[in-house]
Amino acid sequence: MLQDFLKNITKWLIYVIYFILLLALIIGITAAVQLNQINANIIELSQVHDAERKVLSEVGYRFSLTDSLANRYLEDFKQGNLLLYQQAYADLNKFLDDNQTLFPDASKTKLYSEIEHNIQIYENTLKNIDESHRAGSSKSKDDFTFYSSQFVLHKNNTLDAIDKLSVQVESEITQTTQRSLDNIAQARLLLTVLIIMMIITGPLFGYVIIKQANQNNHQKNLLKSTIEDYKQNLQDQKSDLSKAIQETQQFAYIVSHDLRSSLTNLKGFTRELDYSLDQIKAPLENSLPGMQELERQKVTLALKQDIPEAVTYINNSVNRMESFINAVLKLSRLGRKQLTLTKIDLNPLVEEIVANLTYQLELREGVVYAQKLPIITADQTSMEQIFANIMDNAIKYWYQGRPLEINITTKDTPTETIFAIKDNGRGIAAEDLDGVFALFQRLGSSSEVGEGMGMAYVQAIIRNMDGRIWIKSKVSVGTTIFFSIPKYIMSKDTNE
């Protein structure tokens, strides 16, 4: 009776797990849709609205230039100035015609046409002024005054039309940005729910496996079948784990690319801010003499110090974040890297790495000792990166005032080759050893540049070749890094 009860519990737990997994799949698909929408919003911002904004900025600039030349002509009525104005007006009209297709929306097309219409009236008014100035008996001074006032009116109407279209474009940019933020919030919530469901499913799945195994152990007459089922379940778990690792790596890859897109937008808007600052800097500096002393000091401080410093800090932060994203991408690709297994003589490989580090070693009076290294079967690029990163770390964390020594030794076993790279550097405290392989973590103090993921990268490379890595260290004495390379490395099925 108890056994049947336990069987029923196990069955219902399996049903619960399947339900949770199905729900998790639905949530995952929904989150993917949200991420696609975010990507579409970003494309709309970067390609459509950014182009509209640039065109309107250029139209405003060209119209201001045309108006400036028109006013210069009206001041002295010289034929040369009229030619300059006519050329600027022709260029403005051509630019408007060339970029009309960027505003397909009905409301924006109407505003764009209004700009063109006002500019045409502006041109006609200038012609009327010119004709009035050169008036015959049929023209009067009142005509000239009337057309001059109309000239200013149509100029203001044109600027108003440009401003209206700019406001609409900026409004759409704001709305698209808000949609992206809303989609990000929804995707974040969905992914949080998905993670919680996976955490719940894991223990339940483990419980079901244990219960099933216990029941099979009590059924001696089905012992052989039980063993076969257990092996199959184990294989399934390995397959599921492999898929989960691949999905995690793919997720990191996608999120890093999305973040990079956002950083690219941030860089673009920072450049836009810099450009805008350049545009307003000269007019503000020209108006400084007319300001009160306190206002002049505030404006000068903002123009020459506060705003440039803020832009510099933004750019530095973006560059650092981009560096971290590149590091994550580099690490995530390792699990998908296809190994090219060849026989490698490690002696010339290490000699070349030491030669490349000659300058750094000389600065630290350093020397590298290596016993006769074996010929192994492994991935050439991976081995170069392992030795280069470990020796580079030894150089970075040397004990100042003491000549650097690096010793490389090996030990051969039936299943693997064990390497030991020992230095006499600063060493690592016992409480910090667990953090050696952590991402973006630098132990102690170092002025060297980097993302702080060198050893995490080395660990990922070695694991990709089915090897092991561990460390022994003592503060102020030195550090020994051990790693092993199997005699037989499983080939990888996925490409980088």
Side-chain angles (χ1 to χ4, degrees):
M1 191 70 178
L2 178 61
Q3 191 173 17
D4 292 338
F5 176 74
L6 292 176
K7 284 183 179 180
N8 288 331
I9 290 179
T10 303
K11 181 179 69 175
W12 282 108
L13 282 175
I14 291 174
Y15 290 155
V16 170
I17 291 171
Y18 284 156
F19 175 78
I20 294 176
L21 290 176
L22 178 61
L23 190 59
L25 177 61
I26 295 172
I27 292 175
I29 294 173
T30 306
V33 171
Q34 292 292 338
L35 292 174
N36 286 335
Q37 183 60 44
I38 293 169
N39 185 56
N41 290 339
I42 291 173
I43 291 174
E44 183 179 354
L45 278 171
S46 61
Q47 294 182 358
V48 179
H49 294 314
D50 191 53
E52 292 176 348
R53 174 188 282 170
K54 289 179 179 177
V55 166
L56 289 175
S57 176
E58 184 67 16
V59 169
Y61 170 77
R62 287 175 183 259
F63 179 74
S64 296
L65 176 61
T66 304
D67 180 67
S68 175
L69 293 172
N71 281 288
R72 285 171 57 189
Y73 169 71
L74 294 177
E75 287 175 4
D76 51 26
F77 291 94
K78 291 181 179 178
Q79 185 63 22
N81 285 340
L82 177 60
L83 293 176
L84 290 175
Y85 161 78
Q86 290 173 340
Q87 181 60 49
Y89 175 77
D91 291 342
L92 173 59
N93 270 336
K94 185 177 185 304
F95 184 82
L96 286 168
D97 291 338
D98 291 344
N99 293 278
Q100 190 170 15
T101 56
L102 288 177
F103 301 86
D105 181 74
S107 60
K108 287 190 285 189
T109 300
K110 181 178 179 181
L111 288 172
Y112 196 85
S113 299
E114 184 178 339
I115 294 172
E116 293 178 307
H117 179 68
N118 284 327
I119 290 175
Q120 182 61 50
I121 297 177
Y122 175 92
E123 162 66 2
N124 294 335
T125 305
L126 181 65
K127 290 180 179 178
N128 290 332
I129 293 174
D130 186 57
E131 291 174 3
S132 298
H133 175 69
R134 308 179 191 282
S137 58
S138 62
K139 298 287 183 177
S140 68
K141 185 177 181 181
D142 290 337
D143 290 331
F144 180 85
T145 304
F146 171 78
Y147 289 129
S148 297
S149 63
Q150 291 296 305
F151 180 77
V152 175
L153 174 63
H154 296 313
K155 169 188 174 181
N156 292 334
N157 288 342
T158 302
L159 293 175
D160 288 342
I162 294 173
D163 287 341
K164 287 178 183 178
L165 186 51
S166 297
V167 167
Q168 183 167 343
V169 170
E170 293 299 327
S171 175
E172 290 181 357
I173 290 175
T174 301
Q175 293 172 6
T176 305
T177 302
Q178 186 59 47
R179 287 200 306 271
S180 295
L181 293 175
D182 293 340
N183 289 331
I184 289 172
Q186 293 173 12
R188 183 182 298 158
L189 176 61
L190 289 171
L191 291 174
T192 301
V193 173
L194 184 61
I195 291 172
I196 293 173
M197 293 176 67
M198 291 298 99
I199 292 174
I200 294 173
T201 305
L204 288 176
F205 192 69
Y207 177 80
V208 170
I209 295 297
I210 293 172
K211 281 294 181 182
Q212 189 65 43
N214 289 336
Q215 292 171 14
N216 290 338
N217 287 335
H218 289 292
Q219 299 173 0
K220 293 183 179 180
N221 57 331
L222 299 175
L223 181 59
K224 184 177 179 179
S225 177
T226 301
I227 294 174
E228 292 175 354
D229 290 343
Y230 177 80
K231 289 181 179 180
Q232 183 60 47
N233 288 336
L234 182 60
Q235 184 62 36
D236 290 344
Q237 288 180 55
K238 288 182 179 179
S239 177
D240 291 343
L241 179 60
S242 177
K243 291 178 181 178
I245 292 173
Q246 292 177 5
E247 290 169 358
T248 302
Q249 292 166 345
Q250 184 67 20
F251 179 77
Y253 187 81
I254 292 172
V255 170
S256 297
H257 272 75
D258 289 343
L259 288 174
R260 178 179 286 173
S261 297
S262 299
L263 289 178
T264 300
N265 288 336
L266 186 56
K267 274 187 172 181
F269 289 130
T270 304
R271 286 195 296 269
E272 186 72 18
L273 179 61
D274 229 352
Y275 172 78
S276 300
L277 177 61
D278 289 339
Q279 296 299 307
I280 66 173
K281 188 174 182 180
L284 284 177
E285 287 178 345
N286 292 336
S287 63
L288 286 176
M291 297 182 182
Q292 295 182 1
E293 180 61 22
L294 181 59
E295 291 179 344
R296 184 164 57 251
Q297 290 177 358
K298 289 181 178 179
V299 172
T300 302
L301 182 63
L303 282 177
K304 296 186 177 180
Q305 181 174 334
D306 293 344
I307 298 178
E309 280 184 1
V311 172
T312 300
Y313 289 147
I314 292 173
N315 283 325
N316 290 340
S317 298
V318 168
N319 291 334
R320 184 164 178 79
M321 179 62 75
E322 194 168 39
S323 177
F324 284 153
I325 291 173
N326 289 334
V328 171
L329 285 174
K330 183 179 179 183
L331 190 61
S332 69
R333 291 190 185 105
L334 285 178
R336 300 178 288 119
K337 183 180 183 299
Q338 185 176 22
L339 300 176
T340 303
L341 302 178
T342 58
K343 287 189 176 296
I344 306 170
D345 185 350
L346 294 175
N347 294 286
L349 183 148
V350 172
E351 288 173 3
E352 183 177 354
I353 293 173
V354 172
N356 292 333
L357 296 173
T358 298
Y359 177 73
Q360 294 95 315
L361 289 169
E362 288 178 352
L363 289 178
R364 296 158 177 79
E365 301 179 16
V367 63
V368 178
Y369 299 103
Q371 69 175 59
K372 179 70 174 179
L373 300 176
I375 297 175
I376 65 172
T377 299
D379 181 75
Q380 173 91 16
T381 303
S382 296
M383 295 305 299
E384 290 174 353
Q385 292 171 338
I386 291 169
F387 278 99
N389 274 280
I390 293 177
M391 284 195 279
D392 183 63
N393 260 12
I395 291 173
K396 285 181 181 177
Y397 296 98
W398 71 298
Y399 193 96
Q400 295 189 21
R402 181 167 65 200
L404 175 64
E405 288 187 10
I406 301 175
N407 288 275
I408 303 175
T409 58
T410 63
K411 178 182 177 182
D412 204 31
T413 73
T415 58
E416 60 186 3
T417 302
I418 300 174
F419 296 86
I421 302 179
K422 180 181 180 182
D423 65 60
N424 64 338
R426 303 178 199 172
I428 305 169
E431 62 270 18
D432 292 333
L433 282 175
D434 290 339
V436 171
F437 300 109
L439 288 175
F440 311 126
Q441 184 166 339
R442 303 178 69 85
L443 304 180
S445 60
S446 175
S447 60
E448 302 290 339
V449 297
E451 295 83 16
M453 62 170 291
M455 291 309 297
Y457 185 60
V458 170
Q459 183 187 53
I461 294 173
I462 292 173
R463 286 181 174 177
N464 196 40
M465 292 193 294
D466 302 323
R468 302 177 294 129
I469 183 169
W470 65 100
I471 294 178
K472 290 184 180 179
S473 184
K474 188 174 182 180
V475 175
S476 301
V477 176
T479 300
T480 303
I481 298 178
F482 300 90
F483 66 92
S484 68
I485 303 298
K487 293 293 181 68
Y488 176 75
I489 300 174
M490 297 290 292
S491 62
K492 306 297 178 183
D493 295 330
T494 55
N495 293 327
E496 184 177 359

